[in-house]
Amino acid sequence: MKVGKYEVLEDRYYTESDEWVKIEGEIVTVGITDYAQKKLRDIVGVELPQVGREVKMGESIAVVESVKAAADIYSPLSGTVVEVNEDLISEPELINRDPYGAGWIFKLKVANKAEVEKLLTAEKYSEKIRGD
Amino acid sequence: MLSTPLYDVEEKVGASFGEFAGWRMPMEYSSYQKEHMAVRQEVAFFDLSHMGRLRLKGKISEVETLVAKTVSRKENNVMIGPTAFLNDRGGFVDDVMVYKLSDDEFLVVTNAVNREKDIQWIRKNSSLEVEDLTFKYVMLAIQGRKVWNYLARVDLEPLHFKLNAEFMGEKVFLLSRSGWTGEEGVEVWADVETGKRLVEKLISIGMTPAGLITRDSLRQEMGFVLYGEDIDESVNPVEARYWVFSLEKDFIGKAKVEEYLANGVEKLRVGFKMNKGERSLPRNGNKLKLLDKEVGYVTSSTYSPYLSRVIGMGYVNSRNFVLGYSVHVEVRGKKYSVKLTDFPLVKVQ
């Protein structure tokens, strides 16, 4: 759905810090939202987490570098990093071009599925960014 | 917040806006990297209406006291600059461009962030009459390697300008040659309605509109400073290696500048390049280290689309001014190697 000039996908969950989460069984894919990439503008670099790293919900896990600022990416759930998007090392602009697709950042094996309830639905996230 | 008078017409052609120096200005249209390469390979135009534009009237001797470069010996209708207003410690009150209209009338372009401060400073240090033209005219800059493929060649010497000239069929207040990107270019001041028509005309001939992010990446490639990041009141022209003064005459801050030249300075401005593939941007204040000893700091950086690497500038202690050698920059606690390089970082043909 469109919220102003920003795209919000209904098949995902969201965080207050503008990450999106796509759940497929025990594995979740994480990226930053269209809103976040538009706010950051041109993304020129990404620091990816180590595969195998265990993280807690809300822990800083990656950094997205834009010409405007460096933004911390927070893990939306607790779990273990099982895959990172290596394409972003040479093509960080994929996050600008396709934030919900080719611009995904990392995948987690979720430790505690109950945490999903703390995430925002597409509708709640839309409310958060509406009017901005 | 102030807003560019060209907001509506720029929004229509896809500008995304952001705040800079208290102004809502176009930051980019498509992607800054594309806009940047348009200047280096073709041509693009910029809205610079946020920059302060003042008309000074009065004695040229008073202008000489304010401005660090000589203006008296220049003929009329030439640009003098970049030059600077310095404080009595030799620090930058502002770096400015001066246009000499006659022996008693001058135009000055200030940084947006300093416009009001400059007006106060001029009034405090002279009896010159100051008129603020910033809101009366918009300012467009057209820059690029192939600018003359798009525009009829403008009949101007590089530093000359024309008042009340005709440009693309429109009457404009001022037309001048300028090249702050390292490429050829012109600068136009026009009233707001004419400015809107000019934007539409430039778009219609296929010119790329470019935003302030591109302006920043272009100026960094050339090694030009940004007030507030790379220079301020605490930095002098010798430290900045910004040769904007002339010692053949008196000006505010001259005694200090002479002292800095003769006795030396603590730090010097330098450019740097990171290795290809390193995509972390050092930010203002990040430390430069040599053999784990702090030797300087970063003032600005960007990703250069032309060089495909991170570039920037900062200051290094003058005793450790190892131009051509690599030091380390610390970004979020991690060390990256950067090569200290002289300006410009990009050599344009």
Side-chain angles (χ1 to χ4, degrees):
Chain A
M1 65 178 118
K2 272 272 185 194
V3 182
K5 55 185 171 184
Y6 310 112
E7 190 70 43
V8 176
L9 299 189
E10 283 170 56
D11 65 346
R12 329 235 154 159
Y13 288 91
Y14 296 87
T15 65
E16 288 285 348
S17 47
D18 304 309
E19 291 89 8
W20 57 259
V21 185
K22 189 175 180 186
I23 302 176
E24 287 159 305
E26 281 194 315
I27 306 295
V28 302
T29 308
V30 180
I32 65 168
T33 64
D34 184 42
Y35 170 84
Q37 69 84 10
K38 283 196 169 102
K39 286 280 168 193
L40 281 166
R41 302 180 189 282
D42 296 77
I43 289 162
V44 296
V46 180
E47 280 178 26
L48 295 167
Q50 286 279 337
V51 171
R53 176 176 162 184
E54 284 185 23
V55 281
K56 293 222 163 64
M57 184 180 193
E59 198 176 316
S60 168
I61 185 171
V63 178
V64 172
E65 238 1 298
S66 79
V67 286
K68 195 178 163 195
D72 282 318
I73 306 302
Y74 301 96
S75 186
L77 298 166
S78 304
T80 308
V81 178
V82 290
E83 200 181 338
V84 295
N85 186 356
E86 303 272 357
D87 292 345
L88 295 179
I89 295 169
S90 56
E91 271 187 284
E93 60 273 19
L94 286 173
I95 296 177
N96 291 120
R97 221 181 292 149
D98 188 7
Y100 294 115
W104 66 276
I105 299 173
F106 62 93
K107 293 185 184 189
L108 276 183
K109 188 175 178 203
V110 176
N112 176 7
K113 263 213 141 175
E115 283 177 353
V116 173
E117 283 174 28
K118 295 181 188 164
L119 298 175
L120 304 175
T121 60
E123 205 166 286
K124 283 260 188 256
Y125 185 69
S126 301
E127 275 171 35
K128 175 182 126 69
I129 62 171
R130 189 164 285 137
D132 196 347
Chain B
M1 189 174 14
L2 299 166
S3 188
T4 171
L6 303 173
Y7 185 94
D8 292 346
V9 55
E10 288 166 347
E11 194 186 31
K12 232 187 278 171
V13 294
S16 75
F17 292 85
E19 192 193 337
F20 179 73
W23 285 73
R24 187 184 291 110
M25 296 300 295
M27 287 294 151
E28 67 183 346
Y29 291 79
S30 50
S31 115
Y32 93 92
Q33 302 197 37
K34 280 188 203 156
E35 294 164 21
H36 183 109
M37 292 312 286
V39 173
R40 292 273 177 255
Q41 292 167 343
E42 289 276 330
V43 66
F45 72 90
F46 300 80
D47 174 7
L48 304 179
S49 302
H50 62 302
M51 299 194 78
R53 277 150 292 146
L54 313 176
R55 189 206 306 256
L56 307 185
K57 277 188 192 168
K59 286 188 188 150
I60 197 165
S61 57
E62 291 207 86
V63 177
E64 288 287 22
T65 305
L66 299 182
V67 174
K69 246 185 200 169
T70 308
V71 294
S72 299
R73 286 208 212 135
K74 301 283 180 186
E75 53 193 294
N76 293 342
N77 298 334
V78 297
M79 278 190 282
I80 298 132
T83 181
F85 297 147
L86 302 177
N87 60 32
D88 51 17
R89 300 179 311 281
F92 286 99
V93 174
D94 199 4
D95 62 328
V96 295
M97 294 291 293
V98 177
Y99 298 76
K100 185 181 176 222
L101 303 182
S102 69
D103 282 347
D104 58 7
E105 198 172 4
F106 306 85
L107 300 173
V108 176
V109 178
T110 79
N111 283 288
V113 68
N114 288 333
R115 179 175 51 87
E116 287 172 1
K117 180 181 84 169
D118 289 352
I119 294 171
Q120 299 298 323
W121 186 83
I122 294 164
R123 289 195 170 130
K124 188 180 148 219
N125 290 292
S126 76
S127 61
L128 293 163
E129 194 185 305
V130 188
E131 186 189 356
D132 190 352
L133 302 180
T134 309
F135 304 98
K136 196 168 173 186
Y137 301 106
V138 296
M139 179 156 108
L140 297 172
I142 303 158
Q143 297 275 309
R145 190 155 297 188
K146 296 190 179 163
V147 62
W148 309 124
N149 295 6
Y150 289 77
L151 302 178
R153 186 167 281 274
V154 177
D155 182 23
L156 287 166
E157 294 293 316
L159 288 173
H160 283 64
F161 60 87
K162 271 186 184 167
L163 287 180
N164 303 314
E166 191 168 297
F167 177 69
M168 298 184 84
E170 301 284 347
K171 287 225 173 338
V172 299
F173 174 67
L174 180 139
L175 179 64
S176 64
R177 288 275 289 275
S178 64
W180 50 267
T181 56
E183 309 291 346
E184 286 257 32
V186 296
E187 186 184 79
V188 185
W189 301 16
D191 67 66
V192 175
E193 288 312 310
T194 306
K196 286 180 183 174
R197 284 198 297 277
L198 278 175
V199 168
E200 283 164 356
K201 284 185 178 182
L202 294 169
I203 296 278
S204 75
I205 60 171
M207 206 174 273
T208 303
L212 292 188
I213 296 175
T214 302
R215 186 166 188 256
D216 196 54
S217 54
L218 289 162
R219 68 100 190 157
Q220 289 198 54
E221 284 184 347
M222 297 312 294
F224 297 141
V225 294
L226 176 64
Y227 195 94
E229 282 206 359
D230 309 303
I231 57 167
D232 56 35
E233 297 243 6
S234 72
V235 174
N236 67 64
V238 182
E239 292 168 330
R241 299 195 297 134
Y242 193 20
W243 311 119
V244 290
F245 55 85
S246 160
L247 297 180
E248 65 182 9
K249 57 119 189 195
D250 284 331
F251 57 89
I252 297 169
K254 182 187 172 188
K256 280 289 180 187
V257 170
E258 285 180 332
E259 201 180 303
Y260 299 134
L261 279 171
N263 299 342
V265 287
E266 294 292 313
K267 60 184 179 184
L268 290 164
R269 187 170 66 98
V270 66
F272 63 77
K273 291 178 185 173
M274 283 176 87
N275 293 328
K276 276 204 176 171
E278 293 290 8
R279 298 293 202 113
S280 289
L281 256 64
R283 308 281 170 180
N284 186 295
N286 283 161
K287 290 171 183 156
L288 295 170
K289 289 190 169 182
L290 182 57
L291 301 174
D292 282 332
K293 183 177 177 284
E294 194 177 324
V295 293
Y297 56 91
V298 172
T299 52
S300 58
S301 87
T302 191
Y303 178 77
S304 159
Y306 189 79
L307 297 172
S308 304
R309 61 173 69 195
V310 173
I311 61 166
M313 63 181 78
Y315 287 84
V316 171
N317 299 341
S318 46
R319 287 165 63 102
N320 305 91
F321 195 69
V322 286
L323 205 61
Y325 195 67
S326 290
V327 301
H328 288 96
V329 65
E330 263 189 22
V331 183
R332 292 182 296 275
K334 269 195 212 164
K335 279 190 189 175
Y336 300 89
S337 178
V338 299
K339 188 174 182 179
L340 301 185
T341 309
D342 209 352
F343 304 115
L345 300 179
V346 166
K347 291 197 173 52
V348 294
Q349 280 88 38

